[in-house]
Amino acid sequence: MKRQPFLNHEFLRLVALTQNTPSRITDLYFRISRTLKDTLNLMPTFTYLTALHIDMIIGENDGLPTEHLHLAFLEELHIMHVTWHSYRHDMNAFSALAETLSLPSLRRLLLTSQAVEDEMVFEPLLRKFGHSLHFVSLVRPHIINRYYPYDYRHPLPLIPLLSMCPNLRHLATDTRIPIRMPTHAHLTWIDLWVQRRFLDPSEQSAVTLMPHEEKVKLPSLRGVRLLDMSLFPFSGARTPLLIPPDMVGSTESVIWSYSSVDLRHDPGLLYRQKVNEVDDVLAESLEHRL
């Protein structure tokens, strides 16, 4: 008996969009579950798409894309990758994406996945598009949860990443502290997602986290900024783009006040000014139990 495809709500929404003035749509954000192949087959309808964000959950028995997909105007691709399968399965999925995607205008690539610890998983995408990229974000999603016993001692694969992105200007990632960097001629800004215990607003700068011998490797570097991880649920991996590091000068600061978050941008720091005391007590309690 032939297995029937599971058409979830997101896929049906996408089908509806293809039938209603798709040429006007420039930004798409949707969840992919079992329908990656079928979803990408609908993408050519969106002629002027410039930004695509997909939450990708692919099962081991789900079909992978095989048809060539050319998106002439796509400048930003964000993949939130949820995985509980084998390394080989993840590798096959990203290899299929690299083989089928043609993105001549791509400049910003955001990858949010626990698989970033295995740099080879994303190598196909970085190797194909790396030369054109100006902004790359690599974030492990479980670091967002402050109740998770995250180990900062595990470094991210920055050396192979930067070697495949020779024209990169802006890197946003989480990594161990103090940061260790490979040589790169054009990297201008580095944003580091960190837990609150690493934030020290009195210092007004995150450059102190990078030893002098590391800064020498980056002749174009203008600054290193710490991003408060508690901001991630509000603005996600696009935070460095929404609030760029050059928004404030060496003696400036900007303060925003919203009903859900008080935000402050100082030189080298972007953080929440106030954190709910109840949340802090709960977090400390859970940390002691772990």
Side-chain angles (χ1 to χ4, degrees):
M1 181 177 178
K2 184 177 179 180
R3 178 184 174 186
Q4 295 298 317
F6 174 75
L7 301 180
N8 61 18
H9 173 73
E10 287 290 312
F11 182 75
L12 294 176
R13 180 174 71 89
L14 186 63
V15 172
L17 287 175
T18 63
Q19 300 170 352
N20 294 277
T21 61
S23 62
R24 297 182 182 179
I25 297 175
T26 60
D27 194 330
L28 272 181
Y29 177 12
F30 55 90
R31 185 181 182 90
I32 292 178
S33 179
R34 295 188 179 180
T35 55
L36 175 62
K37 182 176 181 179
D38 296 326
T39 298
L40 293 182
N41 286 342
L42 294 174
M43 288 295 102
T45 310
F46 301 96
T47 311
Y48 297 104
L49 198 63
T50 59
L52 176 61
H53 179 173
I54 58 178
D55 291 349
M56 190 170 74
I57 307 174
I58 306 299
E60 290 187 336
N61 297 321
D62 297 332
L64 297 177
T66 55
E67 298 295 325
H68 176 76
L69 173 59
H70 180 76
L71 297 174
F73 302 104
L74 194 74
E75 300 175 1
E76 179 176 316
L77 175 63
H78 182 186
I79 299 177
M80 170 75 84
H81 176 225
V82 180
T83 179
W84 48 81
H85 299 292
S86 66
Y87 167 84
R88 176 52 53 188
H89 173 74
D90 293 333
M91 186 70 179
N92 289 341
F94 282 96
S95 293
L97 285 174
E99 290 174 4
T100 56
L101 292 177
S102 173
L103 310 174
S105 300
L106 190 67
R107 297 296 180 267
R108 302 181 297 276
L109 180 62
L110 298 85
L111 301 170
T112 306
S113 171
Q114 60 262 41
V116 298
E117 295 180 0
D118 301 309
E119 65 268 22
M120 296 300 292
V121 171
F122 296 124
E123 183 180 3
L125 284 179
L126 293 171
R127 193 166 296 282
K128 181 169 183 178
F129 302 113
H131 276 74
S132 66
L133 295 177
H134 292 169
F135 173 80
V136 167
S137 171
L138 278 181
V139 184
R140 287 167 278 199
H142 56 253
I143 70 165
I144 303 163
N145 188 342
R146 59 180 169 179
Y147 308 143
Y148 190 95
Y150 176 66
D151 184 1
Y152 264 95
R153 293 172 297 177
H154 196 298
L156 283 177
L158 296 182
I159 293 178
L161 161 67
L162 293 183
S163 67
M164 288 183 278
C165 304
N167 298 306
L168 193 65
R169 302 297 194 273
H170 189 177
L171 171 67
T173 186
D174 65 274
T175 188
R176 63 182 178 182
I177 295 175
I179 187 172
R180 293 289 186 267
M181 295 295 299
T183 300
H184 196 283
H186 302 295
L187 191 61
T188 306
W189 297 102
I190 300 174
D191 279 325
L192 299 176
W193 288 100
V194 299
Q195 295 176 343
R196 291 189 63 86
R197 67 175 180 267
F198 290 112
L199 292 172
D200 185 359
S202 65
E203 287 191 6
Q204 298 292 305
S205 176
V207 180
T208 55
L209 294 171
M210 182 178 291
H212 175 72
E213 60 270 21
E214 300 300 320
K215 286 185 281 187
V216 171
K217 299 177 184 177
L218 305 170
S220 301
L221 186 67
R222 292 180 56 190
V224 181
R225 181 175 61 166
L226 297 185
L227 306 177
D228 185 352
M229 200 175 300
S230 67
L231 289 173
F232 202 98
F234 297 96
S235 50
R238 297 199 78 251
T239 302
L241 297 173
L242 297 173
I243 307 177
D246 58 355
M247 176 176 283
V248 298
S250 58
T251 60
E252 299 174 320
S253 64
V254 178
I255 300 174
W256 296 270
S257 293
Y258 302 101
S259 59
S260 57
V261 58
D262 288 318
L263 184 63
R264 183 182 180 100
H265 190 198
D266 293 331
L269 293 171
L270 179 63
Y271 59 99
R272 291 176 67 185
Q273 292 192 96
K274 299 178 182 178
V275 179
N276 190 300
E277 293 181 2
V278 176
D279 289 345
D280 277 349
V281 171
L282 179 59
E284 290 179 6
S285 175
L286 288 172
E287 285 174 1
H288 285 306
R289 295 178 189 176
L290 293 173

